[in-house]
């Protein structure tokens, strides 16, 4: 009896590539089928090498199939379903080897015995980690809960417990090393994109991609890595013949300027662009590789753009957010992509060229990984880029809700999984605490102080007010003074500059025979503040509105609370 006559245990909604074997739980009705490769098991069944199907397994297999199918129908990930499919096969294989019956009546007992087997492997065999064992048991247990209609998770009845590990706190050196590797990897990705323009893609082979550190990456684009002439053939005649054959093969390959022939070079750039895109947007790989190319519109934000789809004079929802500097590189990639695939049916934003795997399968970044091995640099996966980005945003903003929203996480996920405790951040937070609670560390000028002693900037004018942690004008010329990215700070700067204009207007000409201080410290402070306001005004549209609003308030006589008292005193004088 063939299992196909009983029930269809395949997953018709899942798309597979040309060389991928569709998933099928039907063979699990046969004892020993779980130990055979998925692409070979149907042959064994058709040849009746596995005997007759065990019908007592039918309800169990049907329930597991229904559970996975329901998850997929509700939008579950294909790769989560694949993980469950593999664990189920592993569980059935273990039961077949020990001749343990599999049916609905005994499955809860069998599951607990399997969990004890995993626990034995952890403690005695030591060939599996606690995390892996718990993950496997949780995947299978989740679907068994559906099959048995359990109210409480079956994994709680086992002795497997999820290990709650403490996060390792990164020291200053380790933290710097992580960022250094990320910067090195990112600059390599950018050099690869710059080196694979249209002329290089269709140009001579092999291609040398020059990197900014002076190194270079050699790409053959499907030219074999075999050494020519063959080292074992020492005959001059044979060497000459093989060298001629190599030259001919190379010329034919170089003349073939088709997309499939240059696919390794094209895929290399697309993989690099995809990694840069993930690093910029914080989008996960499962979403990013499924994006479709569209007509985009850009809405300016403080530090970048919100990117929307533009259709029929109507802006769609926000697809992703990018930093301002990335827009030029993103549009350059879109132009390159359109030139490479002018008549391409595939509308994917990152259309990797594949022969066997289905287009819905995320890339494994094989080309980038190979390049990293050649260059001797560490490969940073998308999850690593997203973690670095999330920690960078969290350290810059110290706003958990904002960082979680930008990283597309919940606050709990951000803090429990992505945040990496850092000694350097801890030291900074302690310093900020004392700055806010110790009156001697609060700067008298608008802004923040990040130090403990006054240090003049290198280019401080000779007549400018010297930093002394007491005089507001001195803070403007201190190494430790920092501006705040807010309207409140801009308004305070405008008010303080107006106060300095009142001070400077009250300066009387020097009496004959006395030295004139030129330029006057108040005048220098006004210039310094004007430069700061000019920077805010030119940096973004939002900050420009802050400056304009601050100046309007000064004209209206509406001054910041920190300076209104002194301004009124000067006004009375």
């Amino acid at each position: 009896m063939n299992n196909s006559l009983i029930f269809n245990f395949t997953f018709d909604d899942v798309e597979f590539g040309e060389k991928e074997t569709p998933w099928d739980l039907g063979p699990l009705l046969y004892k020993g089928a779980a130990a055979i490769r998925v692409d070979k098991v149907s042959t064994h069944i058709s040849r009746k090498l596995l005997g007759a199907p065990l019908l007592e397994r039918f309800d169990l297999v049907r329930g597991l199939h229904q559970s996975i199918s329901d998850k997929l129908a509700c939008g579950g990930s294909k790769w989560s379903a694949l993980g469950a499919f593999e664990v189920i096969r592993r569980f059935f294989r273990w039961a077949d080897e020990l001749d343990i019956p599999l049916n609905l009546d005994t499955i809860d007992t069998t599951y607990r015995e399997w969990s004890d087997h995993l626990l034995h492997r952890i403690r005695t065999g030591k060939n599996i980690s606690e995390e892996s064992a718990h993950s496997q048991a949780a995947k299978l247990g989740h679907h068994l809960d559906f099959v048995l209609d359990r109210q409480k998770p079956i994994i709680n009845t086992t002795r497997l417990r999820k290990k709650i590990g403490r996060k390792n706190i990164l020291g200053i050196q380790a933290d710097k090393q992580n960022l250094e590797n990320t910067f090195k990897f990112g600059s390599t990705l950018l050099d690869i994109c710059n080196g694979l323009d249209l002329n290089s893609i269709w140009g001579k082979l092999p291609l040398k991609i020059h990197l900014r550190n002076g190194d270079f990456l050699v790409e053959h684009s499907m030219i074999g890595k075999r050494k020519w002439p063959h080292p074992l053939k020492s005959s001059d005649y044979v060497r000459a013949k093989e060298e001629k054959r190599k030259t001919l093969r190379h010329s034919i390959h170089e003349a073939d300027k088709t997309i499939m022939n240059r696919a390794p070079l094209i895929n290399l750039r697309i993989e690099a662009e995809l990694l840069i895109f993930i690093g910029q947007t914080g989008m996960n790989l499962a979403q990013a590789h499924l994006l479709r190319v569209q007509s985009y519109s850009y809405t300016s934000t403080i530090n970048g753009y919100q990117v929307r789809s533009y259709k029929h004079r109507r802006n769609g929802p926000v697809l992703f957010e990018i930093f301002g500097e990335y827009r030029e590189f993103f549009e350059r990639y879109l132009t390159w992509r359109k030139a490479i695939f002018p008549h391409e049916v595939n509308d994917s934003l990152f259309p990797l060229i594949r022969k066997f795997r289905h287009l819905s399968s995320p890339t494994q970044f094989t080309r980038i990984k190979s390049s990293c091995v050649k260059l001797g640099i560490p490969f940073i996966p998308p999850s690593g880029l997203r973690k670095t980005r999330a920690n960078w945003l969290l350290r810059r903003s110290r706003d958990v809700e904002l960082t979680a929203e930008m990283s597309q996480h919940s606050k709990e996920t951000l803090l429990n999984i992505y945040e990496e405790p850092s000694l350097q951040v801890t030291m900074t937070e302690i310093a900020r605490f004392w700055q806010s609670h110790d009156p001697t560390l609060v700067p008298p000028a608008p802004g923040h102080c990040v130090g403990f002693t006054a240090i003049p900037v290198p280019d401080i004018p000779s007549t400018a007010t010297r930093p002394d942690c007491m005089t507001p004008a001195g803070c403007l010329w201190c190494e430790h003074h920092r501006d705040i990215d807010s309207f409140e700070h801009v308004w305070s700067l405008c008010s303080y500059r107006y106060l300095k204009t009142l001070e400077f207007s009250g300066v009387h000409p020097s009496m004959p025979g006395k030295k004139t201080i030129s330029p006057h410290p108040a005048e220098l402070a006004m210039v310094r503040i004007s430069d700061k306001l000019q920077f805010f005004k030119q940096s973004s549209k939002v900050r420009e509105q802050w400056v304009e609003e601050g100046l309007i308030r000064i004209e209206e006589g509406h001054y910041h609370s920190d300076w209104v008292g002194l301004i009124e005193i000067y006004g009375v004088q």
Side-chain angles (χ1 to χ4, degrees):
M1 182 185 304
N2 191 293
N3 66 298
S4 62
L5 300 178
I6 301 174
F7 197 80
N8 179 18
F9 290 109
T10 59
F11 300 89
D12 298 330
D13 294 336
V14 180
E15 298 178 331
F16 298 92
E18 181 182 346
K19 295 294 183 178
E20 290 182 300
T21 302
W23 309 335
D24 188 2
L25 291 179
L28 297 182
L29 296 174
Y30 297 83
K31 184 177 180 180
I36 303 173
R37 278 175 40 177
V38 292
D39 57 340
K40 303 291 184 181
V41 67
S42 60
T43 304
H44 284 68
I45 294 175
S46 62
R47 294 179 180 177
K48 299 183 179 180
L49 300 178
L50 300 177
L54 304 177
L55 297 184
E56 62 269 20
R57 297 185 177 187
F58 178 77
D59 291 336
L60 174 61
V61 175
R62 181 175 62 178
L64 292 171
H65 176 269
Q66 186 64 45
S67 178
I68 297 176
S69 298
D70 288 352
K71 289 292 181 183
L72 290 170
C74 293
S77 168
K78 171 184 174 181
W79 308 109
S80 297
L82 174 60
F85 175 75
E86 292 176 343
V87 169
I88 291 172
R89 280 177 47 85
R90 203 172 297 133
F91 170 70
F92 271 71
R93 178 178 180 176
W94 168 82
D96 289 343
E97 290 175 351
L98 298 180
D99 199 21
I100 299 177
L102 292 167
N103 53 67
L104 287 181
D105 296 331
T106 62
I107 188 61
D108 54 347
T109 303
T110 305
Y111 174 78
R112 282 188 286 271
E113 292 178 3
W114 179 62
S115 69
D116 288 340
H117 163 70
L118 295 177
L119 191 62
H120 177 77
R121 290 180 60 189
I122 294 172
R123 296 177 177 178
T124 305
K126 296 183 178 180
N127 53 7
I128 189 175
S129 65
E130 293 183 36
E131 293 83 358
S132 177
H134 186 274
S135 175
Q136 293 183 46
K139 287 179 182 178
L140 178 60
H142 176 75
H143 294 285
L144 287 180
D145 291 338
F146 173 85
V147 174
L148 300 175
D149 194 21
R150 292 181 59 92
Q151 300 301 318
K152 296 182 178 180
I154 191 173
I155 192 174
N156 292 345
T157 65
T158 70
R159 293 189 292 166
L160 290 173
R161 295 293 180 265
K162 186 174 183 180
K163 183 179 179 181
I164 303 177
R166 297 178 61 184
K167 292 185 177 181
N168 294 325
I169 298 179
L170 298 177
I172 296 178
Q173 192 60 36
D175 201 7
K176 289 181 179 179
Q177 186 68 29
N178 288 344
L179 288 177
E180 181 181 347
N181 291 336
T182 304
F183 291 147
K184 186 182 298 182
F185 181 69
S187 63
T188 302
L189 294 179
L190 185 58
D191 291 339
I192 289 175
C193 294
N194 292 335
L196 289 174
D197 55 10
L198 294 176
N199 294 331
S200 301
I201 292 288
W202 307 117
K204 293 183 178 181
L205 297 174
L207 172 65
K208 282 188 177 182
I209 301 175
H210 294 274
L211 307 180
R212 64 189 65 191
N213 61 0
D215 202 353
F216 58 87
L217 178 66
V218 179
E219 288 294 331
H220 294 269
S221 186
M222 300 176 68
I223 293 181
K225 299 179 181 178
R226 176 182 175 186
K227 294 182 179 179
W228 289 77
H230 197 283
L232 299 180
K233 298 179 179 180
S234 58
S235 170
D236 293 339
Y237 172 76
V238 174
R239 282 179 173 274
K241 187 176 181 180
E242 290 186 351
E243 185 66 30
K244 183 177 180 181
R245 188 184 307 167
K246 169 197 171 183
T247 304
L248 178 61
R249 187 180 68 172
H250 177 83
S251 60
I252 293 175
H253 180 76
E254 190 176 37
D256 183 9
K257 297 183 178 182
T258 59
I259 288 182
M260 289 305 300
N261 193 42
R262 304 299 172 102
L265 298 180
I266 297 173
N267 283 347
L268 178 61
R269 170 151 184 183
I270 293 178
E271 288 182 5
E273 294 280 2
L274 177 55
L275 286 169
I276 294 176
F277 179 84
I278 291 174
Q280 288 288 316
T281 62
M283 189 178 295
N284 61 51
L285 177 60
Q287 294 175 305
H289 91 280
L290 293 177
L291 289 175
R292 301 301 177 198
V293 65
Q294 305 179 45
S295 297
Y296 298 107
S297 63
Y298 301 88
T299 303
S300 178
T301 59
I302 293 180
N303 292 317
Y305 298 94
Q306 290 181 339
V307 184
R308 292 179 167 87
S309 59
Y310 181 81
K311 293 182 179 179
H312 305 296
R313 300 182 181 179
R314 178 174 57 87
N315 287 330
V318 177
L319 301 176
F320 47 85
E321 293 188 22
I322 60 175
F323 294 105
E325 295 80 359
Y326 177 61
R327 176 176 176 177
E328 177 184 350
F329 294 95
F330 182 63
E331 292 182 340
R332 184 187 68 171
Y333 165 69
L334 294 178
T335 303
W336 177 88
R337 181 201 175 282
K338 185 176 181 180
I340 293 291
F341 307 101
H343 307 295
E344 180 64 33
V345 178
N346 180 15
D347 61 348
S348 173
L349 181 58
F350 301 98
L352 290 163
I353 303 170
R354 296 174 173 178
K355 284 187 177 182
F356 307 124
R357 298 191 69 188
H358 195 270
L359 295 176
S360 62
S361 303
T363 175
Q364 302 299 313
F365 298 102
T366 53
R367 299 292 304 166
I368 292 294
K369 289 179 181 177
S370 175
S371 300
C372 288
V373 171
K374 294 178 184 177
L375 298 172
I377 63 174
F379 170 78
I380 301 179
S383 58
L385 295 175
R386 298 180 72 221
K387 177 176 287 189
T388 301
R389 181 180 186 272
N391 279 277
W392 181 82
L393 289 172
L394 187 59
R395 294 175 189 181
R396 285 290 300 272
S397 66
R398 302 314 301 169
D399 189 330
V400 177
E401 293 186 357
L402 174 64
T403 305
E405 181 181 354
M406 294 184 67
S407 302
Q408 304 179 43
H409 301 306
S410 64
K411 290 193 298 184
E412 292 76 12
T413 301
L414 174 68
L415 296 177
N416 294 336
I417 298 178
Y418 283 87
E419 184 190 22
E420 291 183 341
S422 171
L423 178 61
Q424 188 175 13
V425 173
T426 303
M427 294 170 62
T428 304
E429 290 180 345
I430 292 174
R432 288 179 177 174
F433 171 81
W434 286 112
Q435 288 171 12
S436 60
H437 290 78
D438 189 341
T440 62
L441 297 178
V442 178
H448 277 169
C449 179
V450 296
F452 298 96
T453 58
I455 301 177
V457 295
D459 57 346
I460 181 172
S462 59
T463 59
T465 306
R466 310 299 293 184
D468 56 6
C469 296
M470 298 178 63
T471 310
C475 285
L476 299 176
W477 305 99
C478 181
E479 284 275 8
H480 294 147
H481 184 260
R482 298 292 184 271
D483 289 308
I484 304 173
D485 192 15
S486 68
F487 167 72
E488 187 79 13
H489 176 66
V490 172
W491 181 27
S492 182
L493 284 175
C494 293
S495 301
Y496 184 51
R497 187 178 67 170
Y498 179 68
L499 173 64
K500 284 297 172 180
T501 59
L502 295 177
E503 178 185 341
F504 184 67
S505 64
V507 176
H508 298 286
S510 299
M511 297 295 293
K514 291 188 177 180
K515 282 189 175 181
T516 302
I517 301 176
S518 181
H520 193 274
E523 183 181 6
L524 290 173
M526 293 162 52
V527 173
R528 184 77 167 176
I529 297 173
S530 298
D531 291 341
K532 290 176 177 289
L533 294 176
Q534 186 66 18
F535 170 79
F536 274 97
K537 189 174 182 179
Q538 295 178 350
S539 58
S540 72
K541 292 291 185 181
V542 175
R543 297 190 183 100
E544 182 181 2
Q545 294 175 2
W546 292 349
V547 176
E548 293 175 353
E549 175 64 21
L551 296 176
I552 291 175
R553 291 190 178 189
I554 300 305
E555 292 179 0
E556 295 174 346
H558 186 194
Y559 310 115
H560 194 274
S561 58
D562 290 347
W563 311 107
V564 62
L566 292 173
I567 291 175
E568 289 177 353
I569 292 174
Y570 271 100
V572 172
Q573 294 176 350

